Amino acid sequence: MTTEVTLHTVNEEPRVLDTDLAERLGYARPRKIRDLIFKHSTELLTYGSIAPTRGAYRGKEFTTY
């Protein structure tokens, strides 16, 4: 089964939503990829920006990448 990944453009650079990437990689809990991104953000920033966005759902705040 192939999961499609939608590319978005941020500052004229192609991006993929963190949870879309995690689903494509087969993560059982796709939102857990956010913990990995946060933990390794210093190294990831050496490859380019990670474009974090703040959001909220049912009163709980979160960050998407």
Side-chain angles (χ1 to χ4, degrees):
M1 179 170 101
T2 302
T3 303
E4 295 294 323
V5 176
T6 302
L7 289 178
H8 306 276
T9 304
V10 176
N11 296 328
E12 299 182 23
E13 294 181 4
R15 302 291 177 160
V16 62
L17 186 61
D18 54 2
T19 52
D20 289 349
L21 176 62
E23 286 178 13
R24 182 71 172 98
L25 292 172
Y27 280 43
R29 297 176 58 199
R31 288 184 304 209
K32 294 300 286 179
I33 197 168
R34 294 174 181 161
D35 297 336
L36 288 172
I37 293 169
F38 181 77
K39 180 179 178 181
H40 298 284
S41 61
T42 301
E43 179 181 353
L44 291 171
L45 286 168
T46 66
Y47 303 109
S49 66
I50 53 176
T53 304
R54 296 290 299 157
Y57 181 73
R58 295 185 178 182
K60 184 170 175 140
E61 293 185 2
F62 58 88
T63 301
T64 62
Y65 298 94

